[in-house]
Amino acid sequence: MIFLAPHVVADIKIDGQTLTIEAAISIARGHRKAILCEDARLRMVESREAVESIIESGKTIYGINTGFGAMSSVKIGEEDLEKLQANLIRSHACGVGHKMEPEHVLLMMLFRANSLAKGVSGIRPEIIELLLDMVNNGIAPIIPRIGSLGASGDLAPLSHMALAILGEGESMVRNETGWETIASSDALKSAGLRPRSLAAKEGLSLINGTSQMCCYLALTLTNLDILIHAADASAAASLEAIKGSHTPYDSRIHEARPQLGQSESSTRIRGLLKDSEIKLSHADCDRVQDAYCFRCVPQVHGPVIDLLNESKKMLEIEINSATDNPLVFVKEEGVDVLSGGNFHGQNLALASDNIAVACHELASISERRMNQVLDPKWSDQIPFLALNEGLESGYMIVQYVAAACLAELHLMANPVTTSNVPVSMGKEDHVSMGATGTYRSLQSTILLSQVLANELICSTEALDRIPYQPGIGVGIIRNWVRGQVAKYTGDKVMSDECSNLSDNLLNGQLKNILG
């Protein structure tokens, strides 16, 4: 028996035009159901009828009755078209590496279904309905992550997905206790579904698109949206922990350079610092300027906000686009089947490269703030926030771990778009490597969350040792951290506390508390 995850609410209509990132992730997590829109069904029927009329006419059209890639000039007889689609799926299902997470697979499936629901791919609506039924019932085909070049579509991963439609391979199934792996045919049967054979062009339509890249980039942007708020919160907490100046956050400075992200970051931090007793306590101090890691936070965090917003816009266009090839356009005077390159993921790949760099920069400036919180020259506290200097190490290695994460982020900030490898005997001579890039950027957000968590641990401890109250927002942040990380009373093992705080940052707990 298949069980849906709890908290199911209103259905989301899949129409190839209006799907949002947030709604898609909610569906993949089992919180909402997806249903095919009737208008999309009608468009799909029309394009499918056009494909069948081409087959009956005997015309040779790429993707419908020919081979693929470098073999596109080979015509396939009508009697072999169904076998051609099955061969395509089986031959392309040769991915390697770790399995994709089941919820990631469901998100990829949903993006593929929505793209095909646009109605210009020549695929039958019942195939898309089967995909959506699988998503709604938590049936995630087992898919090795590595295999896509980010052009010609995410061919290998999507082929493993399509195997399950044929009733082949294995799938992970969501149940009351988690996920179990069973034969795809049994998974379909347990949900009252049945495998489908694929007619002409349908196999190509299923695998020729940017859905794996979209999946990883959607998760990346969701994480980054949470973490940019956490980065501002962490900066505010560390600023108070070193009794730093609030002047760099004065609205007049940012109105003089009205970059949107910069203004948003400075406004958010300024709000967190409101009503600070710490600020009042050092009104006559002799510190002229803080280091750049405090003074330039809005100017560093702000461009990441701008990048995030632009990437979201691009991705929401992408998930509501037809990204296979060829595309079938039906008009009153006939049918045009056009070969193009919408499967090319250069837009997603470039965004992922930029995001990986952005994650490195957020982590880099965070680690520098952490260094100052632990340095008595800036914090006026015992080195590394120990209690017994020399006998204890305090949070010395918490910073080391952040620096180690930063080294990984530095490695991952190298671009993948520059690693083109021509394939298919030179027919496909430029690829984006976007699947590699978007997965890498997702991992970058996870590493960033750990650096920010470690900074919050250090700043919270320092704040506890200052006899003045921080800004109201910073006080909320401190209480949230203290609910998960105990006050320092001596050296102890901290791996679990550091990891748990990172996980809860990514879960959006702090963002939700701060509003």
Side-chain angles (χ1 to χ4, degrees), residues 239 242 245 247-249 253-254 262 288-300 365 369:
L239 181 72
I242 68 156
S245 173
T247 300
Y249 303 93
I253 292 174
H254 306 287
Q262 177 179 327
V288 178
Q289 287 185 328
D290 293 320
Y292 284 1
C293 62
F294 289 104
R295 203 188 335 155
C296 301
V297 168
Q299 291 82 359
V300 175
I365 198 169
R369 293 191 299 261

Side-chain angles (χ1 to χ4, degrees), residues 12 25 97 166 283 299 389:
I12 299 293
I25 290 175
L166 298 173
Q299 291 82 359
E389 186 176 353

